[in-house]
Coordinates of all heavy atoms in Angstrom, one line a residue:
M20 N 21.5 48.5 35.3 CA 21.8 47.5 34.3 C 23.1 47.9 33.6 O 23.4 49.0 33.4 CB 20.6 47.6 33.2 CG 20.8 46.7 32.0 SD 20.3 45.0 32.2 CE 18.5 45.2 32.3
K21 N 23.9 46.8 33.4 CA 25.2 47.0 32.8 C 25.2 46.3 31.4 O 24.4 45.4 31.2 CB 26.3 46.3 33.7 CG 26.4 46.8 35.1 CD 27.2 48.0 35.1 CE 27.4 48.5 36.6 NZ 28.0 49.7 36.7
Q22 N 26.1 46.7 30.5 CA 26.2 46.1 29.2 C 27.7 46.0 28.8 O 28.5 46.9 29.1 CB 25.5 47.0 28.2 CG 25.7 46.5 26.8 CD 24.8 47.2 25.8 OE1 23.5 47.2 25.9 NE2 25.3 47.9 24.8
V23 N 28.0 44.8 28.2 CA 29.4 44.6 27.7 C 29.3 44.1 26.3 O 28.4 43.3 25.9 CB 30.2 43.7 28.6 CG1 29.6 42.3 28.6 CG2 31.6 43.7 28.3
H24 N 30.2 44.6 25.5 CA 30.3 44.2 24.1 C 31.6 43.4 23.9 O 32.7 44.0 24.3 CB 30.3 45.4 23.2 CG 30.4 45.1 21.7 ND1 31.5 45.5 21.0 CD2 29.5 44.5 20.9 CE1 31.3 45.1 19.7 NE2 30.1 44.5 19.6
L25 N 31.6 42.2 23.3 CA 32.7 41.4 23.2 C 33.0 41.1 21.7 O 32.0 40.8 21.0 CB 32.6 40.1 23.9 CG 32.2 40.1 25.4 CD1 32.0 38.7 26.0 CD2 33.2 40.9 26.2
L26 N 34.2 41.1 21.3 CA 34.6 40.6 20.0 C 35.6 39.5 20.2 O 36.7 39.7 20.8 CB 35.2 41.7 19.1 CG 34.2 42.8 18.7 CD1 35.0 43.9 18.0 CD2 33.2 42.2 17.8
I27 N 35.3 38.3 19.8 CA 36.1 37.1 20.2 C 36.8 36.6 18.9 O 36.1 36.3 17.9 CB 35.2 36.0 20.8 CG1 34.5 36.6 22.0 CG2 36.0 34.8 21.2 CD1 33.1 36.0 22.3
S28 N 38.1 36.4 18.9 CA 38.8 36.0 17.7 C 39.6 34.7 18.1 O 39.8 34.4 19.2 CB 39.7 37.1 17.2 OG 40.7 37.4 18.2
G29 N 39.9 34.0 17.0 CA 40.6 32.7 17.1 C 39.8 31.7 16.2 O 39.2 32.1 15.2
F30 N 39.9 30.5 16.6 CA 39.1 29.4 15.9 C 37.8 29.4 16.7 O 37.6 28.6 17.6 CB 39.9 28.1 15.9 CG 39.1 27.0 15.2 CD1 38.9 27.1 13.8 CD2 38.7 25.9 15.8 CE1 38.3 26.1 13.1 CE2 38.0 24.9 15.1 CZ 37.8 25.0 13.8
V31 N 36.8 30.2 16.3 CA 35.6 30.4 17.1 C 34.3 30.2 16.2 O 33.2 30.3 16.8 CB 35.6 31.7 17.8 CG1 36.7 31.8 18.9 CG2 35.7 32.9 16.9
Q32 N 34.5 30.0 14.9 CA 33.3 29.7 14.1 C 33.3 28.3 13.7 O 34.4 27.7 13.4 CB 33.3 30.7 12.9 CG 32.9 32.1 13.3 CD 32.6 33.0 12.1 OE1 32.4 32.6 11.0 NE2 32.6 34.3 12.4
G33 N 32.1 27.7 13.6 CA 32.0 26.3 13.2 C 32.3 25.3 14.3 O 32.5 24.1 14.0
V34 N 32.3 25.8 15.5 CA 32.6 24.9 16.7 C 31.5 25.0 17.7 O 31.6 24.6 18.9 CB 34.0 25.3 17.3 CG1 35.1 24.9 16.4 CG2 34.0 26.7 17.8
G35 N 30.3 25.6 17.4 CA 29.2 25.8 18.3 C 29.4 26.9 19.3 O 28.8 26.9 20.4
F36 N 30.2 27.9 19.0 CA 30.5 29.0 19.9 C 29.2 29.7 20.3 O 29.0 30.0 21.5 CB 31.6 29.9 19.4 CG 32.3 30.6 20.4 CD1 33.6 30.2 20.8 CD2 31.8 31.7 21.1 CE1 34.3 30.8 21.8 CE2 32.5 32.4 22.1 CZ 33.8 31.9 22.4
R37 N 28.4 30.1 19.3 CA 27.2 30.9 19.6 C 26.2 30.2 20.4 O 25.6 30.7 21.4 CB 26.6 31.4 18.3 CG 27.4 32.4 17.5 CD 26.8 32.8 16.2 NE 26.5 31.7 15.4 CZ 25.5 31.5 14.6 NH1 24.6 32.5 14.5 NH2 25.3 30.4 13.9
V38 N 26.0 28.9 20.1 CA 25.1 28.1 20.9 C 25.6 28.0 22.4 O 24.9 28.1 23.3 CB 24.9 26.7 20.3 CG1 24.2 25.8 21.2 CG2 24.3 26.8 18.9
F39 N 26.9 27.8 22.5 CA 27.6 27.7 23.8 C 27.4 29.0 24.6 O 27.0 29.0 25.8 CB 29.1 27.4 23.6 CG 29.9 27.5 24.8 CD1 30.0 26.5 25.7 CD2 30.8 28.7 25.0 CE1 30.8 26.6 26.9 CE2 31.6 28.7 26.1 CZ 31.6 27.7 27.0
V40 N 27.6 30.1 24.0 CA 27.5 31.4 24.7 C 26.0 31.6 25.0 O 25.7 32.1 26.2 CB 28.0 32.6 23.8 CG1 27.6 33.9 24.4 CG2 29.5 32.5 23.6
Q41 N 25.1 31.3 24.1 CA 23.7 31.5 24.4 C 23.2 30.7 25.6 O 22.5 31.1 26.5 CB 22.8 31.1 23.2 CG 21.4 31.3 23.3 CD 20.6 30.9 22.1 OE1 20.9 29.9 21.5 NE2 19.5 31.7 21.8
R42 N 23.7 29.4 25.6 CA 23.3 28.5 26.7 C 23.8 29.0 28.1 O 23.1 29.1 29.1 CB 23.8 27.1 26.5 CG 23.5 26.1 27.5 CD 24.0 24.7 27.2 NE 25.4 24.7 27.2 CZ 26.1 24.3 26.1 NH1 25.5 24.0 25.0 NH2 27.4 24.3 26.2
E43 N 25.1 29.4 28.1 CA 25.7 29.9 29.3 C 25.1 31.3 29.8 O 24.9 31.5 31.0 CB 27.3 30.1 29.1 CG 28.0 28.8 28.9 CD 27.8 27.7 30.0 OE1 27.9 28.1 31.2 OE2 27.6 26.5 29.7
A44 N 24.8 32.1 28.8 CA 24.2 33.4 29.2 C 22.8 33.2 29.8 O 22.4 33.8 30.8 CB 24.0 34.3 27.9
K45 N 22.0 32.2 29.2 CA 20.7 31.9 29.8 C 20.8 31.4 31.2 O 20.0 31.7 32.1 CB 20.0 31.0 28.9 CG 19.4 31.7 27.6 CD 18.7 30.7 26.7 CE 18.1 31.5 25.5 NZ 17.2 30.6 24.7
K46 N 21.8 30.5 31.4 CA 22.1 30.0 32.8 C 22.3 31.1 33.8 O 21.9 31.0 35.0 CB 23.3 29.0 32.8 CG 23.0 27.7 32.2 CD 24.3 26.9 32.4 CE 24.3 25.6 31.6 NZ 25.6 24.9 31.6
L47 N 23.0 32.1 33.3 CA 23.4 33.3 34.2 C 22.3 34.3 34.3 O 22.4 35.3 35.0 CB 24.7 33.9 33.7 CG 25.9 33.1 33.9 CD1 27.1 33.7 33.1 CD2 26.3 32.9 35.3
G48 N 21.2 34.2 33.5 CA 20.2 35.2 33.5 C 20.5 36.5 32.7 O 20.0 37.5 33.0
I49 N 21.4 36.3 31.8 CA 21.9 37.4 31.0 C 21.1 37.6 29.7 O 20.8 36.5 29.1 CB 23.4 37.3 30.7 CG1 24.2 37.4 32.0 CG2 23.9 38.2 29.6 CD1 25.7 37.0 31.8
T50 N 20.8 38.8 29.3 CA 20.1 39.0 28.0 C 21.1 39.6 27.0 O 22.1 40.1 27.4 CB 18.9 39.9 28.2 OG1 19.4 41.2 28.8 CG2 17.9 39.3 29.2
G51 N 20.7 39.6 25.7 CA 21.5 40.2 24.7 C 21.5 39.3 23.4 O 20.4 38.7 23.1
W52 N 22.6 39.2 22.8 CA 22.7 38.4 21.6 C 24.2 38.0 21.2 O 25.1 38.6 21.8 CB 22.0 39.1 20.4 CG 22.5 40.5 20.2 CD1 21.8 41.6 20.6 CD2 23.6 41.0 19.5 NE1 22.5 42.8 20.2 CE2 23.6 42.4 19.5 CE3 24.7 40.4 18.8 CZ2 24.6 43.2 18.9 CZ3 25.7 41.2 18.3 CH2 25.6 42.5 18.3
T53 N 24.3 37.1 20.3 CA 25.6 36.7 19.8 C 25.4 36.5 18.3 O 24.4 36.1 17.8 CB 26.2 35.5 20.5 OG1 27.5 35.2 19.9 CG2 25.3 34.3 20.3
R54 N 26.5 36.7 17.5 CA 26.5 36.4 16.1 C 27.9 36.3 15.5 O 28.9 36.7 16.1 CB 25.8 37.6 15.3 CG 26.5 38.9 15.3 CD 25.8 39.9 14.5 NE 26.3 41.2 14.8 CZ 25.6 42.3 14.6 NH1 24.4 42.3 14.1 NH2 26.1 43.5 14.9
N55 N 28.0 35.6 14.4 CA 29.2 35.4 13.7 C 29.4 36.7 12.9 O 28.5 37.3 12.3 CB 29.2 34.2 12.7 CG 29.3 32.9 13.5 OD1 29.8 32.9 14.6 ND2 28.9 31.9 12.9
L56 N 30.7 37.1 12.7 CA 31.1 38.2 11.8 C 31.8 37.6 10.6 O 32.4 36.5 10.7 CB 32.0 39.2 12.5 CG 31.3 39.9 13.7 CD1 32.4 40.8 14.4 CD2 30.1 40.7 13.3
R57 N 31.7 38.3 9.5 CA 32.3 37.8 8.3 C 33.9 37.7 8.4 O 34.5 37.0 7.6 CB 31.9 38.7 7.1 CG 30.4 38.6 6.8 CD 30.1 39.2 5.5 NE 28.7 39.4 5.3 CZ 27.7 38.5 5.2 NH1 28.1 37.2 5.1 NH2 26.5 38.8 5.0
D58 N 34.5 38.4 9.3 CA 35.9 38.3 9.5 C 36.4 37.2 10.4 O 37.5 37.2 11.0 CB 36.5 39.6 10.0 CG 36.0 40.0 11.3 OD1 35.2 39.3 12.0 OD2 36.3 41.1 11.8
D59 N 35.5 36.2 10.6 CA 35.7 35.0 11.4 C 35.7 35.2 13.0 O 36.1 34.3 13.7 CB 37.0 34.3 11.0 CG 37.0 33.8 9.6 OD1 35.9 33.4 9.1 OD2 38.0 33.8 8.9
R60 N 35.3 36.4 13.4 CA 35.1 36.6 14.8 C 33.7 36.3 15.3 O 32.8 36.2 14.4 CB 35.5 38.0 15.2 CG 36.9 38.4 15.0 CD 37.2 39.8 15.4 NE 36.5 40.7 14.6 CZ 36.4 42.0 14.8 NH1 37.0 42.6 15.8 NH2 35.7 42.8 14.0
V61 N 33.5 36.2 16.6 CA 32.1 36.1 17.1 C 31.9 37.4 18.0 O 32.8 37.8 18.7 CB 32.0 34.8 18.0 CG1 30.7 34.9 18.8 CG2 32.1 33.6 17.2
E62 N 30.7 38.0 17.8 CA 30.4 39.2 18.5 C 29.3 38.8 19.6 O 28.4 38.1 19.3 CB 29.8 40.2 17.5 CG 29.5 41.5 18.2 CD 29.0 42.5 17.1 OE1 28.5 42.1 16.0 OE2 29.0 43.7 17.4
V63 N 29.5 39.4 20.8 CA 28.5 39.2 21.9 C 28.1 40.6 22.4 O 29.0 41.4 22.7 CB 29.1 38.3 23.0 CG1 28.1 38.2 24.1 CG2 29.5 36.9 22.4
L64 N 26.8 40.8 22.6 CA 26.4 42.0 23.4 C 25.5 41.4 24.5 O 24.6 40.7 24.3 CB 25.5 42.9 22.5 CG 25.1 44.2 23.2 CD1 26.3 45.1 23.3 CD2 24.0 44.8 22.4
A65 N 26.0 41.7 25.8 CA 25.4 41.1 26.9 C 25.0 42.1 28.0 O 25.7 43.1 28.2 CB 26.3 40.1 27.6
Q66 N 23.8 41.9 28.6 CA 23.3 42.8 29.6 C 22.8 42.1 30.8 O 22.3 41.0 30.8 CB 22.1 43.6 29.1 CG 22.3 44.4 27.8 CD 21.0 45.0 27.3 OE1 19.9 44.6 27.5 NE2 21.2 46.1 26.5
S67 N 23.1 42.7 32.0 CA 22.6 42.2 33.3 C 22.6 43.3 34.3 O 23.3 44.2 34.2 CB 23.5 41.0 33.7 OG 23.2 40.6 35.0
D68 N 21.8 43.1 35.3 CA 21.8 44.0 36.5 C 23.0 43.7 37.4 O 23.3 44.5 38.2 CB 20.5 43.8 37.3 CG 19.3 44.3 36.7 OD1 19.4 45.3 35.9 OD2 18.2 43.8 36.9
H69 N 23.7 42.6 37.1 CA 24.8 42.2 38.0 C 26.1 42.1 37.2 O 26.3 41.2 36.4 CB 24.5 40.8 38.6 CG 23.2 40.7 39.3 ND1 23.0 41.3 40.5 CD2 22.0 40.2 39.0 CE1 21.7 41.2 40.9 NE2 21.1 40.5 40.0
E70 N 27.0 43.0 37.4 CA 28.3 43.1 36.7 C 29.0 41.8 36.9 O 29.7 41.3 36.0 CB 29.1 44.3 37.2 CG 30.3 44.5 36.5 CD 31.0 45.8 36.9 OE1 30.4 46.7 37.4 OE2 32.3 45.8 36.7
K71 N 28.9 41.2 38.1 CA 29.6 39.9 38.4 C 29.2 38.9 37.4 O 30.1 38.1 37.0 CB 29.3 39.5 39.8 CG 30.0 38.3 40.3 CD 29.7 37.9 41.7 CE 30.3 36.6 42.1 NZ 30.0 36.2 43.5
K72 N 28.0 38.8 37.0 CA 27.5 37.8 36.1 C 28.1 38.0 34.7 O 28.5 37.1 34.0 CB 26.0 37.7 36.0 CG 25.4 37.1 37.3 CD 23.9 36.9 37.1 CE 23.4 36.3 38.4 NZ 22.0 35.8 38.2
L73 N 28.2 39.3 34.3 CA 28.8 39.7 33.0 C 30.3 39.3 33.0 O 30.8 38.8 32.0 CB 28.6 41.1 32.7 CG 27.1 41.6 32.4 CD1 27.0 43.1 32.3 CD2 26.6 40.9 31.2
K74 N 30.9 39.5 34.1 CA 32.4 39.2 34.2 C 32.5 37.6 34.1 O 33.5 37.2 33.5 CB 33.0 39.7 35.5 CG 33.2 41.2 35.4 CD 33.8 41.8 36.7 CE 34.0 43.3 36.6 NZ 34.6 43.8 37.8
E75 N 31.6 36.9 34.7 CA 31.6 35.4 34.6 C 31.4 35.0 33.1 O 32.1 34.1 32.7 CB 30.5 34.8 35.5 CG 30.6 33.4 35.6 CD 29.7 32.8 36.7 OE1 29.2 33.5 37.5 OE2 29.3 31.6 36.6
L76 N 30.5 35.7 32.4 CA 30.3 35.3 31.0 C 31.6 35.7 30.2 O 32.0 34.9 29.3 CB 29.1 36.1 30.4 CG 28.8 35.7 28.9 CD1 28.3 34.3 28.8 CD2 27.7 36.7 28.4
I77 N 32.3 36.7 30.5 CA 33.5 37.1 29.8 C 34.5 35.9 30.0 O 35.2 35.5 29.0 CB 34.1 38.4 30.3 CG1 33.2 39.6 29.9 CG2 35.5 38.6 29.8 CD1 33.5 40.9 30.6
K78 N 34.7 35.4 31.2 CA 35.6 34.3 31.5 C 35.2 33.1 30.7 O 36.1 32.4 30.2 CB 35.6 34.0 33.0 CG 36.4 35.0 33.8 CD 36.5 34.6 35.3 CE 37.0 35.7 36.2 NZ 38.4 36.0 35.9
I79 N 33.9 32.8 30.6 CA 33.4 31.7 29.8 C 33.8 31.9 28.3 O 34.2 30.9 27.7 CB 31.9 31.6 30.0 CG1 31.6 31.0 31.4 CG2 31.3 30.6 29.0 CD1 30.2 31.2 31.9
C80 N 33.6 33.1 27.8 CA 34.0 33.4 26.4 C 35.5 33.3 26.2 O 35.9 32.9 25.1 CB 33.4 34.7 26.0 SG 31.7 34.8 25.8
E81 N 36.3 33.6 27.2 CA 37.7 33.5 27.0 C 38.2 32.1 26.9 O 39.2 31.8 26.3 CB 38.4 34.2 28.2 CG 38.3 35.7 28.2 CD 38.8 36.4 29.4 OE1 38.9 35.8 30.5 OE2 39.1 37.6 29.3
K82 N 37.4 31.2 27.4 CA 37.7 29.7 27.3 C 37.1 29.1 26.1 O 37.7 28.4 25.3 CB 37.3 29.0 28.6 CG 37.7 27.6 28.5 CD 37.3 26.8 29.8 CE 37.7 25.4 29.7 NZ 37.1 24.5 30.6
G83 N 35.8 29.4 25.9 CA 35.0 28.9 24.8 C 34.6 27.4 24.9 O 35.0 26.8 25.9
P84 N 33.9 26.9 24.0 CA 33.5 25.5 24.0 C 34.7 24.6 23.7 O 35.8 25.0 23.3 CB 32.4 25.4 22.9 CG 32.7 26.5 22.0 CD 33.3 27.6 22.8
F85 N 34.5 23.3 23.8 CA 35.6 22.3 23.7 C 36.5 22.4 22.5 O 37.7 22.4 22.6 CB 34.9 20.9 23.7 CG 35.9 19.8 23.5 CD1 36.8 19.4 24.5 CD2 35.8 19.0 22.3 CE1 37.7 18.4 24.3 CE2 36.7 18.0 22.1 CZ 37.7 17.7 23.1
L86 N 35.9 22.6 21.3 CA 36.7 22.6 20.1 C 37.3 24.0 19.7 O 38.1 24.1 18.8 CB 35.9 22.1 18.9 CG 35.5 20.6 19.0 CD1 34.6 20.2 17.8 CD2 36.8 19.7 19.0
A87 N 36.8 25.0 20.4 CA 37.3 26.4 20.1 C 38.7 26.7 20.6 O 39.2 26.0 21.5 CB 36.3 27.4 20.7
E88 N 39.4 27.6 19.9 CA 40.7 28.1 20.3 C 40.6 29.6 20.3 O 40.8 30.3 19.3 CB 41.8 27.6 19.3 CG 42.0 26.1 19.4 CD 43.1 25.7 18.4 OE1 43.9 26.5 18.0 OE2 43.1 24.5 18.0
V89 N 40.3 30.1 21.5 CA 40.1 31.6 21.6 C 41.5 32.2 21.7 O 42.3 31.9 22.5 CB 39.3 31.9 22.9 CG1 39.2 33.4 23.1 CG2 37.9 31.3 22.8
K90 N 41.8 33.2 20.8 CA 43.1 33.9 20.8 C 43.0 35.2 21.5 O 43.9 35.7 22.2 CB 43.5 34.2 19.4 CG 43.7 32.9 18.6 CD 44.9 32.1 19.1 CE 45.2 31.0 18.1 NZ 46.0 29.9 18.8
D91 N 41.8 35.9 21.4 CA 41.6 37.2 22.0 C 40.2 37.5 22.2 O 39.3 37.1 21.4 CB 42.2 38.3 21.1 CG 42.2 39.7 21.7 OD1 42.8 39.9 22.8 OD2 41.6 40.6 21.1
V92 N 39.9 38.3 23.3 CA 38.6 38.8 23.6 C 38.7 40.3 23.8 O 39.3 40.7 24.8 CB 37.9 38.1 24.8 CG1 36.5 38.7 25.1 CG2 37.8 36.6 24.6
S93 N 38.1 41.1 22.9 CA 38.1 42.5 23.1 C 36.8 42.8 23.9 O 35.7 42.4 23.6 CB 37.9 43.2 21.7 OG 37.6 44.5 21.8
I94 N 37.0 43.6 25.0 CA 36.0 43.9 26.0 C 35.7 45.4 26.0 O 36.6 46.2 26.2 CB 36.4 43.4 27.4 CG1 36.7 41.9 27.4 CG2 35.3 43.7 28.4 CD1 37.4 41.4 28.6
E95 N 34.5 45.8 25.8 CA 34.1 47.2 25.9 C 32.8 47.3 26.7 O 31.8 46.8 26.3 CB 33.9 47.7 24.5 CG 33.5 49.2 24.5 CD 33.2 49.8 23.1 OE1 33.3 49.0 22.1 OE2 32.8 51.0 23.0
W96 N 32.9 48.0 27.8 CA 31.7 48.3 28.6 C 31.0 49.5 28.0 O 31.7 50.4 27.7 CB 32.1 48.6 30.1 CG 32.7 47.3 30.7 CD1 34.0 47.0 30.8 CD2 32.0 46.3 31.4 NE1 34.1 45.8 31.5 CE2 32.9 45.3 31.8 CE3 30.6 46.1 31.6 CZ2 32.5 44.2 32.5 CZ3 30.2 44.9 32.3 CH2 31.2 44.0 32.7
Q97 N 29.7 49.4 27.8 CA 29.0 50.4 27.1 C 27.8 50.9 27.9 O 27.3 50.2 28.8 CB 28.5 49.8 25.8 CG 29.6 49.3 24.9 CD 29.0 48.7 23.6 OE1 27.9 48.1 23.6 NE2 29.7 48.8 22.5
D98 N 27.3 52.0 27.5 CA 26.0 52.5 27.9 C 24.9 51.7 27.2 O 25.1 51.4 26.0 CB 25.8 54.0 27.7 CG 26.7 54.9 28.5 OD1 27.1 54.5 29.6 OD2 27.1 55.9 28.0
I99 N 23.8 51.5 27.8 CA 22.7 50.7 27.2 C 21.8 51.7 26.3 O 21.3 52.7 26.8 CB 21.8 50.0 28.3 CG1 22.7 49.0 29.0 CG2 20.6 49.4 27.7 CD1 22.0 48.3 30.1
L100 N 21.7 51.3 25.1 CA 20.8 52.0 24.2 C 19.5 51.3 23.9 O 18.5 51.9 23.6 CB 21.5 52.2 22.8 CG 22.8 53.0 22.9 CD1 23.5 53.1 21.5 CD2 22.6 54.4 23.4
E101 N 19.5 50.0 24.1 CA 18.3 49.2 23.9 C 18.4 48.0 24.9 O 19.4 47.4 25.0 CB 18.3 48.6 22.5 CG 17.2 47.6 22.2 CD 17.3 47.0 20.8 OE1 18.3 47.3 20.0 OE2 16.5 46.2 20.4
E102 N 17.3 47.7 25.6 CA 17.3 46.6 26.5 C 16.7 45.3 25.8 O 15.8 45.4 25.0 CB 16.4 46.9 27.7 CG 17.2 47.8 28.7 CD 16.5 48.0 30.0 OE1 15.9 47.0 30.5 OE2 16.6 49.1 30.6
F103 N 17.2 44.2 26.1 CA 16.7 42.9 25.6 C 16.1 42.0 26.6 O 16.4 42.1 27.8 CB 17.9 42.1 25.0 CG 18.7 43.0 23.9 CD1 19.8 43.6 24.2 CD2 18.2 43.0 22.6 CE1 20.5 44.4 23.3 CE2 18.8 43.8 21.7 CZ 20.0 44.5 22.0
E104 N 15.1 41.2 26.2 CA 14.4 40.4 27.1 C 14.9 39.0 27.1 O 14.6 38.2 28.1 CB 12.9 40.4 26.8 CG 12.2 41.7 27.0 CD 10.7 41.7 26.7 OE1 10.1 40.6 26.6 OE2 10.1 42.8 26.5
T105 N 15.6 38.6 26.1 CA 16.1 37.2 25.9 C 17.6 37.3 25.5 O 18.1 38.4 25.3 CB 15.3 36.4 24.9 OG1 15.4 37.1 23.6 CG2 13.9 36.3 25.3
F106 N 18.2 36.1 25.3 CA 19.5 36.1 24.7 C 19.4 35.3 23.4 O 19.1 34.1 23.4 CB 20.6 35.4 25.7 CG 22.0 35.7 25.2 CD1 22.7 36.7 25.8 CD2 22.6 34.9 24.2 CE1 24.0 37.0 25.3 CE2 23.9 35.2 23.8 CZ 24.6 36.2 24.4
D107 N 19.7 35.9 22.3 CA 19.4 35.3 21.0 C 20.7 35.1 20.2 O 21.7 35.7 20.4 CB 18.5 36.3 20.2 CG 17.2 36.5 20.8 OD1 16.6 35.5 21.3 OD2 16.7 37.7 20.9
R108 N 20.6 34.2 19.2 CA 21.6 34.0 18.2 C 21.2 34.8 16.9 O 20.1 34.5 16.4 CB 21.8 32.6 17.9 CG 22.8 31.9 18.8 CD 23.0 30.4 18.5 NE 21.7 29.7 18.8 CZ 21.2 28.7 18.1 NH1 21.8 28.3 17.0 NH2 20.1 28.1 18.4
K109 N 21.9 35.7 16.5 CA 21.6 36.5 15.3 C 22.4 35.9 14.1 O 23.3 35.1 14.2 CB 22.0 37.9 15.4 CG 21.2 38.7 16.4 CD 21.6 40.2 16.3 CE 20.6 41.1 17.0 NZ 20.9 42.5 16.7
T110 N 21.9 36.2 12.9 CA 22.6 35.7 11.7 C 23.9 36.5 11.5 O 24.1 37.6 12.0 CB 21.6 35.9 10.4 OG1 21.3 37.3 10.3 CG2 20.4 35.1 10.6
T111 N 24.7 35.9 10.7 CA 26.0 36.5 10.4 C 25.9 37.9 9.8 O 25.0 38.2 9.0 CB 26.8 35.7 9.4 OG1 26.9 34.4 10.0 CG2 28.2 36.2 9.1
E112 N 26.8 38.8 10.3 CA 26.8 40.2 9.7 C 28.1 40.5 9.1 O 29.1 40.2 9.7 CB 26.4 41.2 10.8 CG 26.4 42.6 10.2 CD 25.8 43.6 11.2 OE1 24.6 43.5 11.4 OE2 26.6 44.5 11.6

């Protein structure tokens, strides 16, 4: 199992970014979560047995949904501390 943590900046809140990420992650069979941060970024924690699928999700996040303007995606591959069964949208932190 692999895990990647993403911090996405730009015009990424108020444009359906979290719903977009959740839908695409579910299509890819990825588990984890996404949430808005108070500094106007979106955070994503994604897990999969297939690194290729996680890399595909990263590319999707770099583009974003129709109205988004992604400026930067910070990518950090991490060790897994907790496994998730679904891909959820969390409340703003």
Side-chain angles (χ1 to χ4, degrees):
M20 179 81 72
K21 303 278 186 185
Q22 176 171 298
V23 67
H24 180 249
L25 308 175
L26 293 171
I27 304 150
S28 59
F30 183 63
V31 294
Q32 290 191 11
V34 293
F36 206 101
R37 291 178 305 144
V38 172
F39 170 78
V40 171
Q41 183 182 38
R42 181 179 63 242
E43 296 300 318
K45 285 182 176 183
K46 283 182 193 175
L47 292 167
I49 292 172
T50 59
W52 50 263
T53 183
R54 68 177 163 204
N55 286 337
L56 298 175
R57 295 194 194 287
D58 64 3
D59 296 327
R60 294 181 297 170
V61 171
E62 181 178 22
V63 176
L64 185 71
Q66 299 176 340
S67 175
D68 287 329
H69 306 285
E70 186 174 335
K71 183 179 178 182
K72 289 186 178 191
L73 292 172
K74 288 181 178 180
E75 190 172 338
L76 183 67
I77 292 168
K78 287 185 188 295
I79 289 167
C80 288
E81 289 173 337
K82 184 177 181 199
F85 176 69
L86 295 174
E88 292 180 23
V89 176
K90 299 291 185 202
D91 185 59
V92 179
S93 167
I94 303 164
E95 181 184 357
W96 294 92
Q97 301 177 329
D98 293 329
I99 294 176
L100 300 177
E101 173 187 2
E102 287 191 33
F103 303 99
E104 294 183 15
T105 60
F106 196 95
D107 299 316
R108 276 181 289 143
K109 290 186 165 189
T110 57
T111 301
E112 181 169 293

